[in-house]
Amino acid sequence: MIKIVFFAALREQLACAELSLNAEGVKTVGDVKQRLSDKNSQWQQTFSKASLLSAVNHDMVDDSHLVKSGDEVAFFPPVTGG
Amino acid sequence: MTSQDPFKEISIQTEDFSLADEVALLEKNNLTDGAVVTFTGRVRNNNNGNSVTSLTLEHYPGMTEKSLAKIIKQAKEQWHIGRVKVIHRIGELHIGEQIVFVGVTSKHRQDAYAANEFIMDYLKVKAPFWKKEKITNAGKTSENWLAAKSSDTDKADLWS
């Protein structure tokens, strides 16, 4: 399984903080997004946003980054700290 | 400072911090560095013409510390600096309260100035924190997640 976590506005839009995704057939972060997009049109819209940021095991990555079972994949909007 | 007492560089905390205490820690048993540069960020009462009453800071535990450690490491590779301290508060913060602290020491001032600014610029675009503001407009209160500013990305890009 892959652990998926969401933060800030994204978490509120999806009304979901985390979920588990079966790793079968999932090779990259892009595949994870595709799988989540299949849920419904709202999720599809959310995961097609170019501004969406992704992290795997606490490192910011792009869509081609490889993922495997046991990884923690995070999705969140652009950061606004400081 | 001994090896049993390592300098804690990163702190993510709900509680406030004291500028004087932080400067004292940066200076304690540190006789090689002549420069101490600090930055403090506070909650201001306005944003985009709206009246702000408070901010709520959310973060991604674990990744926050990792990303800040990476930024500090980059700063140490680029400049001759001594100690670095980054404090970022989370939770609900009111007008005038301190949000963030960056302190850097170096032998001479140029390295500490530059590294301090670099750390803040990168923190703004790389560290997973998000601000939600509570605003009052025409007597009505609402809550909004802040949008990232392209000026912050442009500023951080200047270092690369």
Side-chain angles (χ1 to χ4, degrees), chain A residues 5-12 53-60 72-74 76-82, chain B residues 58-63 66 70 88 99-100 120 123-132 145-148:
Chain A
V5 290
F6 307 108
F7 290 94
L10 193 70
R11 185 195 65 245
E12 290 188 354
L53 297 176
S54 316
V56 172
N57 300 331
H58 296 163
D59 283 315
M60 211 99 82
E72 179 170 306
V73 181
F76 43 81
V79 302
T80 55
Chain B
E58 176 175 329
H59 77 129
Y60 180 4
M63 179 170 174
K66 195 174 178 180
K70 208 186 288 180
H88 205 299
I99 307 172
V100 60
M120 260 320 288
L123 181 155
K124 283 265 184 191
V125 297
K126 304 268 188 208
F129 291 100
W130 300 273
K131 286 192 189 105
K132 193 183 208 179
W145 289 101
L146 288 192

Side-chain angles (χ1 to χ4, degrees), chain B residues 8-53:
Chain B
K8 188 173 179 253
E9 294 186 318
I10 299 164
S11 179
I12 311 300
Q13 59 189 55
T14 52
E15 65 269 26
D16 198 10
F17 54 86
S18 151
L19 181 58
D21 290 353
E22 294 308 325
V23 169
L25 284 170
L26 287 164
E27 293 177 348
K28 189 179 177 190
N29 301 330
N30 179 358
L31 302 176
T32 52
D33 293 336
V36 182
V37 172
T38 67
F39 171 83
T40 307
R42 302 163 69 224
V43 183
R44 60 176 190 279
N45 68 357
N46 63 91
N47 193 30
N48 299 326
N50 292 313
S51 198
V52 177
T53 52

Side-chain angles (χ1 to χ4, degrees), chain B residues 79-141:
Chain B
W79 293 280
H80 294 290
I81 52 177
R83 289 184 192 163
V84 178
K85 178 73 183 235
V86 177
I87 301 174
H88 205 299
R89 292 178 69 197
I90 50 169
E92 190 175 10
L93 300 172
H94 295 91
I95 296 163
E97 280 196 78
Q98 305 184 116
I99 307 172
V100 60
F101 171 85
V102 176
V104 180
T105 71
S106 61
K107 279 194 178 65
H108 308 288
R109 72 184 184 285
Q110 300 304 354
D111 287 298
Y113 267 134
N116 192 304
E117 193 175 12
F118 167 86
I119 291 168
M120 260 320 288
D121 286 353
Y122 266 54
L123 181 155
K124 283 265 184 191
V125 297
K126 304 268 188 208
F129 291 100
W130 300 273
K131 286 192 189 105
K132 193 183 208 179
E133 60 180 10
K134 205 178 272 182
I135 60 169
T136 325
N137 205 339
K140 272 171 63 181
T141 301

